Amino acid sequence: MTRKHIVRVLVVAALIGGFSPRAMAQGFSWRGYESVIEEIQDRGVLRVGLGLFAPWSACDADGELIGFEIEVATRLAEDMGVEVEFARTNWNYIIPALIAEEFDVIISGMTILPERNLKVNFTSSYNQTGIYLVANRDRTAGLETLEDFNSSSVTIATRRGSSTISAIENVFPEAMILLYDSDTAILEAVVSGMADAARAHGSTRNTWVEDNPDTLHLPFDEPFASEVLAIAVRKGDHDALNFFNSWIAIRKADGWLEQHRQFWFDTQDWEDLVATDPMTIAECDASFQ
């Protein structure tokens, strides 16, 4: 057998065994590739990165985390036979933190976007939500169509680093976008008139209007855009993608995901559970930094 044939056989054997030519050049590791799934099982803890924004995640009156994503991550960990640990992360830093292995996955209402997908891998979608406009009555009087809101004289508030920025830019390219770090700040902006309108998700839009009926209204019953949400994992981990995709398929099929999605996005029953005391909110937020 020639040297060329020997190299070819070794390359084929390495690929079949799960090794890359680059790994061969650096020396064989007979242990092979270790997925984050194995690390989670060895550790006994699923570490989840998230940001706080209802109804995906929020703090209750006791300072404990609640929300759709909290239930998803907790059930996922339970099905894996491990505990769950949440890492509160600044939204602008959450993808770099995942890449830096500060936690195992992002389960935090993350929308699939091309620019994000260049940095991380996404599972199949486990939730889809609409994006609505909530508007200041006085400042938007006479604006009756989506095109009316597509004006350089209109300001729309949304969250810094959010996927809704792209949605607003697509539908209202002429409007000015104002960026805030929290939903509380967004609501204050549109109530005070600093912004003409704001983006809102799910039943949150109804709550904002019900709490401020003289100031706010819903100019449209239907969402102006929608978001497809998924779990984010580090690139190259095919075992993790396979496991999480299988888990999503199972929990879709048995109705568990839809049942919990309806509670958090189609009803307002959860809103009485969310902390309203500023001190409790601040302490909860700080405890997950």
Side-chain angles (χ1 to χ4, degrees), residues 54 82 101 113 115 118-119 129 134-135 194 205 210 220 240 247-248 265 267:
V82 299
E101 301 187 13
L113 294 176
E115 56 268 31
L118 292 172
K119 301 174 182 178
T129 182
V134 174
M194 292 182 62
R205 69 190 189 280
E210 290 172 4
F220 312 106
W247 183 86
I248 290 168
F265 292 93
T267 79

Side-chain angles (χ1 to χ4, degrees), residues 109-285:
M110 178 164 279
T111 303
I112 300 174
L113 294 176
E115 56 268 31
R116 288 175 177 168
N117 211 171
L118 292 172
K119 301 174 182 178
V120 298
N121 282 341
F122 285 107
T123 64
S124 56
S125 174
Y126 63 95
N127 188 17
Q128 184 167 334
T129 182
I131 310 174
Y132 297 81
L133 275 186
V134 174
N136 183 293
R137 287 184 181 276
D138 292 339
R139 292 184 61 86
T140 60
L143 304 185
E144 300 178 351
T145 67
L146 289 177
E147 189 56 36
D148 290 338
F149 280 84
N150 183 30
S151 168
S152 58
S153 63
V154 172
T155 55
I156 302 176
T158 190
R159 190 161 181 151
R160 194 182 315 275
S162 167
S163 58
T164 54
I165 296 174
S166 296
I168 294 170
E169 289 175 338
N170 288 336
V171 180
F172 310 105
E174 300 300 323
M176 178 181 296
I177 300 176
L178 303 180
L179 302 178
Y180 296 89
D181 290 323
S182 69
D183 279 5
T184 300
I186 292 171
L187 176 59
E188 290 176 353
V190 71
V191 169
S192 67
M194 292 182 62
D196 300 316
R199 68 93 181 102
H201 293 91
S203 59
T204 302
R205 69 190 189 280
N206 297 319
T207 301
W208 284 6
V209 172
E210 290 172 4
D211 290 345
N212 304 274
D214 296 331
T215 308
L216 304 182
H217 77 116
L218 296 173
F220 312 106
D221 293 331
E222 298 298 319
F224 68 85
S226 63
E227 297 179 306
V228 178
L229 314 176
I231 297 173
V233 301
R234 287 186 285 276
K235 280 187 168 294
D237 195 339
H238 305 296
D239 286 347
L241 277 179
N242 178 70
F243 177 82
F244 293 134
N245 282 336
S246 296
W247 183 86
I248 290 168
I250 290 169
R251 295 301 163 223
K252 277 185 176 181
D254 68 9
W256 188 91
L257 278 169
E258 179 59 20
Q259 176 187 353
H260 288 258
R261 189 206 65 78
Q262 288 181 358
F263 176 79
W264 289 102
F265 292 93
D266 294 344
T267 79
Q268 295 172 260
D269 297 342
W270 55 270
E271 292 177 353
D272 290 337
L273 305 174
V274 177
T276 56
D277 176 60
M279 184 66 70
T280 301
I281 296 173
E283 290 177 353
C284 179
D285 186 73

